[in-house]
């Protein structure tokens, strides 16, 4: 069965700090890994990663995938209070048409 | 313009009742999904429909019956509600193999 494990489950830092969130996975016929940010409502899409070693970047957020070691990291630099959220990692396998989610990392940024 | 919308946003009901949640997407996607998010924020796939056809049914009790009248709609009907059904239900949509976009969620509380 496909499995996604995120760490840490919870993280509290001060504004301006840099954080790294981890996601490891076991999946048959890997297709893609996705990161979502969930505040109060719907998970909102951040990144989709399909190839190893290619960094995806959006402002202060970046993510990279290692398909050999089966993990991904999400980096947030110069954190702001608005980055406080649950960050969800999910994987999709070929032909599966479903996402398998990890437990999420609850990130809290204190002023 | 709401991309994926769900109604109602909140639903409070008694055990044993039957209720429905509606989902609509205006993104032109051909695949729609229902996910359940429990109190620990763990998101799990329930159903997936592609072009109105059921693709995935993940060991969900048959009290849950999805219905897709057309590609833009996927409704979820729940019979004989139980306490354990209390959760947030998210609808999502995608083009087959593409990024999934989530609706705002329906918070269901069964008393």
């Amino acid at each position: 069965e496909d499995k996604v494990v995120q760490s840490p489950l919870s993280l509290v830092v001060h504004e301006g700090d840099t954080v790294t969130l981890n996601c490891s996975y076991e999946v048959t016929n890997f297709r893609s890994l996705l990161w979502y940010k969930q505040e109060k409502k719907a998970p909102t899409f951040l990144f989709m990663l399909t190839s190893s070693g290619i960094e995806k970047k959006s402002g202060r957020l970046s993510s990279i995938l290692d398909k050999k070691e089966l993990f991904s990291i999400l980096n947030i630099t110069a954190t702001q209070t608005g980055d406080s959220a649950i960050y969800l990692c999910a994987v999709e396998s070929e032909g599966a048409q479903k996402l398998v989610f990890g437990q999420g990392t609850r990130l809290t940024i204190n002023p | 313009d709401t991309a994926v919308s769900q109604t109602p946003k909140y639903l409070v009901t008694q055990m044993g009742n039957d209720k429905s949640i509606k989902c609509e997407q205006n993104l032109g996607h051909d695949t729609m999904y229902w996910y359940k998010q429990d109190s620990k924020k763990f998101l799990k796939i329930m159903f997936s429909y592609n072009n109105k056809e059921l693709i995935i049914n993940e060991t969900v009790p048959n009290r849950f019956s999805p219905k897709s009248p057309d590609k833009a709609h996927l409704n979820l009907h729940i019979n004989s509600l139980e306490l354990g059904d209390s959760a947030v239900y998210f609808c999502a949509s995608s083009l087959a193999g593409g990024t999934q976009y989530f609706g705002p969620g329906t918070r269901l509380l069964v008393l």
Side-chain angles (χ1 to χ4, degrees), chain A residues 59-99:
Chain A
R60 295 175 294 102
L61 277 68
S62 63
S63 184
I64 198 159
L65 174 68
D66 185 329
K67 285 165 76 171
K68 187 179 172 190
E69 300 297 329
L70 307 182
F71 78 90
S72 173
I73 58 171
L74 176 68
N75 274 326
I76 310 175
T77 58
T79 52
Q80 302 171 357
T81 54
D83 295 327
S84 296
I86 295 172
Y87 289 83
L88 297 165
C89 174
V91 295
E92 187 175 21
S93 52
E94 288 287 352
Q97 290 191 314
K98 67 175 182 181
L99 293 176

Side-chain angles (χ1 to χ4, degrees), chain B residues 27-65:
Chain B
L27 296 167
H29 289 165
D30 57 6
T31 308
M32 294 184 74
Y33 313 80
W34 278 109
Y35 288 84
K36 179 181 180 182
Q37 189 172 45
D38 61 24
S39 56
K40 294 183 180 176
K41 300 295 186 185
F42 191 57
L43 258 172
K44 195 163 182 197
I45 184 76
M46 298 173 68
F47 299 104
S48 163
Y49 268 74
N50 177 263
N51 284 315
K52 304 194 300 174
E53 260 190 60
L54 179 67
I55 303 296
I56 291 172
N57 179 345
E58 287 280 316
T59 59
V60 176
N62 57 16
R63 297 182 296 104
F64 290 79
S65 49

